[in-house]
């Protein structure tokens, strides 16, 4: 049997390219399993070790026990209590071992060894594939469609490597058939055996970037830099570029003579329309460029909220900016990182006028000034009572006829209004009941937020649904549901 073991190890090692040590360990594991099944059928927890001599093929079998504290002695088949041993020779954690008779490396052991070896081969092959492809992450790989299932295509990449192209990672209208060749981006390599190993995609943004690198030498040479990409795979995409050499037009270089470069990319992506946009560090100019070919008449940006009102002179330009099914504005928004609100100039002016009139009415009614002064305050940029109350005095000097005394009186009046509003707000605060405050998992902050919604008592809370209160700061669906159930306990008390 010893010669047979050596023969198995040598044969499998030569045929499959496995490390001989891995095969020896597989056979040892198989012999352990066989020994347990044949000798210790009633004691599956018994601990067995088999050691094969790597030179002769002879093997010995050992049964062993772990030394544990008396209170941890729960599995006599594989544990020994420290009190049963000579404590001068052993300590907790030691291994006590005795040699037992070895079973033959027979048919059962050989079958089990074969299963373990096959698993080792698969693991080794997956490891080799992972090692070979990890350096190609983010690159385009090419292969032949080997087969297809309901959810994916299996792509033969050569050298026993298979790519997994999920159907939701393919372009909407393309038809891929067995034996046809396909290009895709390798976006993930999995080493575990529970999921597909080489994950491919044709919809990933990296696919477009890799194709641009392939078709535009200036990008590969880093003369032109790709900054942002937005895609509706198979339909339309926008890509922003920046030149590192002012002598080179980045858009013209990407499009190529008579559009040859960009057409090659579009052809690979099943006709996906690609707009090349000049990147600009100025958000306003970047947004305007991203909405081409529409002509923008005006732009109002709020950098704090990352929103922008984009103004158009005509409905034709507005429709062009929105694009078919909203594709153009959607991609421009994704590309620039701004939420874009599209509006006609006439509608924007009406909105400004309405907002201005609301501010004028506010100043007229609350500050008790005449309408002329209220209009002037709105015209110079004051938008609310707080801005009047706390603005530097110099900002009022733009208004003719206002002396320092009048300015001081105006600001004093504005501060009185603010204080009065705060007092009224405090007086309208509703107090939660003592029982609500004492409810399990309730905090004072949440109780007062509930009270603002007229949820004052336990019964009030018990009658709520989760979606009624889960938006309160400090709550989510789980904690809101728990509070409601706690409140309902009072119904059964």
């Amino acid at each position: 049997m010893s010669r047979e073991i050596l023969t198995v190890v040598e044969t499998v090692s030569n045929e499959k390219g496995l490390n001989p040590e891995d095969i020896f360990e597989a056979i040892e594991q198989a012999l352990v399993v066989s020994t347990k099944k044949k000798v210790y059928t009633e004691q599956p927890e018994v601990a067995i070790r088999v050691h094969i001599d790597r030179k002769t093929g002879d093997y010995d079998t050992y049964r062993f026990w772990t030394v544990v504290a008396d209170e941890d002695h729960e599995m006599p088949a594989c544990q020994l209590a420290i009190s049963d041993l000579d404590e001068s020779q052993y300590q907790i954690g030691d291994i006590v071992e005795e040699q037992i008779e070895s079973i033959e490396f027979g048919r059962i052991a050989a079958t089990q060894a074969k299963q373990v070896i096959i698993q080792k081969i698969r693991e080794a092959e997956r490891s080799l594939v992972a090692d070979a492809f990890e350096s190609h992450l983010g690159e385009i790989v090419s292969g032949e469609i080997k087969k297809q299932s309901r959810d994916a295509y299996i792509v033969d990449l050569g050298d026993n490597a298979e790519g997994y192209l999920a159907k939701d990672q393919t372009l909407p209208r393309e038809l891929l058939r067995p034996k046809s060749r396909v290009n895709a981006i390798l976006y993930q390599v999995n080493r575990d055996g529970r999921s597909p190993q080489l994950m491919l995609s044709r919809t990933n943004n990296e696919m477009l970037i890799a194709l641009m690198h392939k078709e535009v030498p200036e990008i590969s040479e880093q003369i032109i830099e790709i900054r942002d990409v937005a895609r509706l795979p198979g339909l339309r995409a926008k890509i922003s570029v920046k030149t590192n050499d002012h002598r080179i037009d980045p858009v013209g270089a990407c499009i190529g003579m008579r559009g040859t470069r960009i057409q090659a990319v579009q052809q690979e992506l099943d006709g996906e329309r690609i707009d090349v946009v000049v990147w600009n560090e100025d958000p306003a100019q970047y947004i305007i460029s991203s909405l081409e070919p529409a002509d923008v008449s005006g732009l109002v940006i709020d950098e704090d909220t990352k929103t922008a009102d984009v103004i158009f002179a005509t409905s034709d330009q507005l429709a062009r900016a929105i694009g078919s099914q909203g594709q153009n504005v959607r991609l421009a928004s994704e590309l620039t990182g701004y939420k874009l609100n599209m509006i006609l100039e006439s509608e924007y002016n009406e909105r400004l006028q309405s907002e201005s009139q609301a501010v004028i009415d506010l100043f007229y009614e609350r500050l008790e000034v005449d309408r002329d002064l209220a209009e002037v305050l709105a015209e110079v940029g004051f938008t609310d009572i707080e801005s009047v109350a706390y603005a530097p005095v110099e900002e009022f000097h733009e208004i003719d006829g206002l002396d320092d005394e009048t300015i001081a009186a105006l600001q004093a009046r504005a501060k009185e209004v603010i204080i009065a509003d705060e007092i009224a707000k405090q007086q309208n605060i509703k107090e939660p009941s003592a029982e609500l405050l004492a409810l399990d998992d309730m905090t004072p902050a949440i109780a007062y937020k509930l009270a603002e919604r007229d949820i004052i008592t336990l019964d009030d809370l018990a009658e709520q649904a989760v979606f009624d209160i889960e938006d309160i700061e400090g709550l989510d669906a789980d904690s809101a549901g728990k509070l409601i159930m706690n409140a309902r306990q009072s119904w059964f008390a």
Side-chain angles (χ1 to χ4, degrees):
M1 287 302 174
S2 59
R3 182 173 298 177
E4 182 178 346
I5 289 176
L6 293 178
T7 300
V8 169
V9 172
E10 182 179 1
T11 302
V12 175
S13 177
N14 291 337
E15 289 182 358
K16 300 296 183 178
L18 280 180
N19 186 339
E21 182 60 28
D22 291 336
I23 305 171
F24 275 119
E25 290 177 0
I27 296 174
E28 288 172 344
Q29 184 178 340
L31 286 168
V32 167
V33 173
S34 296
T35 301
K36 286 186 176 183
K37 287 185 176 180
K38 188 172 183 179
V39 182
Y40 299 99
T41 306
E42 304 299 326
Q43 294 177 292
E45 70 274 14
V46 71
I48 301 294
R49 179 178 73 86
V50 174
H51 174 70
I52 300 175
D53 188 298
R54 273 44 173 173
K55 293 182 180 180
T56 65
D58 294 330
Y59 59 92
D60 297 310
T61 307
Y62 301 87
R63 180 178 178 182
F64 63 90
W65 296 261
T66 304
V67 179
V68 297
D70 289 358
E71 61 270 19
D72 297 328
H73 188 218
E74 299 174 351
M75 303 175 66
C78 59
Q79 294 176 338
L80 291 175
I82 186 68
S83 61
D84 293 335
L85 302 170
D86 183 349
E87 295 189 30
S88 65
Q89 296 184 28
Y90 298 97
Q91 59 184 8
I92 293 173
D94 285 350
I95 300 297
V96 178
E97 192 172 69
E98 70 173 23
Q99 187 170 355
I100 60 175
E101 183 179 353
S102 298
I103 65 170
E104 290 188 5
F105 183 62
R107 180 178 58 82
I108 296 177
T111 300
Q112 290 169 343
K114 179 182 178 182
Q115 293 173 347
V116 175
I117 291 170
I118 290 173
Q119 182 61 30
K120 292 275 186 182
I121 291 171
R122 289 174 179 167
E123 292 174 358
E125 288 176 342
R126 285 181 66 87
S127 180
L128 289 173
V129 170
D131 291 341
F133 280 86
E134 265 183 337
S135 61
H136 297 289
L137 272 172
E139 296 179 8
I140 293 178
V141 294
S142 180
E144 184 179 281
I145 302 294
K146 185 175 181 180
K147 60 182 178 181
Q148 73 176 83
S149 64
R150 184 179 65 180
D151 301 321
Y153 299 94
I154 304 301
V155 183
D156 184 357
L157 301 176
D159 296 328
N160 295 320
E162 292 183 346
Y164 183 87
L165 177 61
K167 288 190 175 178
D168 62 5
Q169 295 293 322
T170 62
L171 303 177
R173 299 185 302 270
E174 67 181 349
L175 294 175
L176 302 177
R177 303 184 183 279
K179 302 296 182 181
S180 63
R181 294 199 66 80
V182 64
N183 296 320
I185 199 79
L186 175 64
Y187 72 93
Q188 186 176 343
V189 176
N190 297 319
R191 286 189 171 271
D192 64 83
R194 295 182 299 276
S195 55
Q197 189 169 21
L198 304 178
M199 305 295 290
L200 307 179
S201 173
R202 286 176 56 77
T203 62
N204 196 299
N205 286 351
E206 294 296 323
M207 179 72 181
L208 175 55
I209 293 173
L211 288 171
M212 294 297 292
H213 273 270
K214 178 182 175 182
E215 298 296 335
V216 184
E218 290 88 346
I219 294 178
S220 298
E221 295 166 5
Q222 297 183 343
I223 297 173
I224 294 175
E225 181 181 345
I226 296 176
R227 296 303 300 260
D228 299 301
V229 174
R231 286 185 73 190
L232 293 171
L235 300 175
R236 191 169 180 179
K238 287 183 182 288
I239 181 168
S240 64
V241 293
K242 170 183 176 291
T243 180
N244 294 321
D245 185 340
H246 67 277
R247 296 170 298 178
I248 294 179
D249 170 23
V251 174
C254 290
I255 293 175
M257 185 71 69
R258 298 181 180 176
T260 53
R261 291 177 173 177
I262 204 69
Q263 286 172 10
V265 177
Q266 290 174 330
Q267 184 176 0
E268 175 60 41
L269 297 179
D270 200 31
E272 184 174 315
R273 177 182 170 184
I274 301 168
D275 300 331
V276 183
V277 176
V278 177
W279 179 85
N280 198 304
E281 62 182 354
D282 177 11
Q285 189 57 51
Y286 192 20
I287 291 171
I288 291 171
S289 298
S290 72
L291 288 170
E292 292 176 350
D295 293 328
V296 176
S297 295
L299 195 64
V300 180
I301 290 181
D302 186 336
E303 295 192 8
D304 293 332
T305 61
K306 287 285 186 178
T307 60
D309 290 331
V310 189
I311 306 164
F312 298 91
T314 66
S315 57
D316 289 344
Q317 293 300 328
L318 175 62
R320 185 175 297 179
I322 294 173
S324 175
Q325 299 179 341
Q327 291 178 3
N328 195 52
V329 65
R330 177 179 170 184
L331 290 172
S333 180
E334 184 179 342
L335 190 76
T336 60
Y338 278 77
K339 180 181 178 182
L340 304 179
N341 304 314
M342 321 294 276
I343 188 169
L344 282 171
E345 189 171 357
S346 57
E347 295 174 352
Y348 182 74
N349 290 335
E350 288 178 7
R351 191 175 78 183
L352 284 182
Q353 186 174 356
S354 175
E355 291 174 353
S356 177
Q357 188 59 50
V359 172
I360 292 170
D361 291 341
L362 175 70
F363 292 159
Y364 174 72
E365 295 170 3
R366 302 301 308 279
L367 297 182
E368 299 177 356
V369 298
D370 60 44
R371 282 208 170 267
D372 290 340
L373 179 54
E375 290 175 1
V376 173
L377 288 171
E379 287 175 5
V380 298
F382 293 105
T383 58
D384 52 34
I385 302 295
E386 286 78 6
S387 62
V388 174
Y390 301 109
V393 174
E394 293 76 15
E395 293 188 15
F396 292 90
H397 290 165
E398 300 178 28
I399 303 174
D400 293 335
L402 281 187
D403 54 27
D404 289 343
E405 184 179 348
T406 305
I407 294 171
L410 181 61
Q411 289 195 302
R413 173 56 186 159
K415 291 174 183 177
E416 288 175 3
V417 171
I418 293 172
I419 293 171
D421 288 345
E422 187 62 29
I423 291 173
K425 182 180 177 182
Q426 294 294 329
Q427 290 175 342
N428 288 330
I429 291 178
K430 297 179 180 179
E431 290 287 334
S433 67
E435 292 80 6
L436 190 68
L437 284 166
L439 185 67
D440 290 345
D441 301 314
M442 180 65 71
T443 66
I446 293 174
Y448 277 93
K449 289 289 185 182
L450 291 170
E452 290 177 7
R453 303 187 181 190
D454 291 327
I455 303 172
I456 307 295
T457 66
L458 288 181
D459 284 344
D460 292 338
L461 178 56
E463 291 171 356
Q464 304 303 310
V466 170
F467 62 80
D468 290 327
I469 64 171
E470 65 179 344
D471 60 320
I472 289 176
E473 185 178 354
L475 290 181
D476 54 25
D478 290 339
S479 56
K482 192 172 182 180
L483 281 178
I484 291 170
M485 293 308 297
N486 288 345
R488 290 176 181 174
Q489 294 299 318
S490 64
W491 290 354
F492 309 104

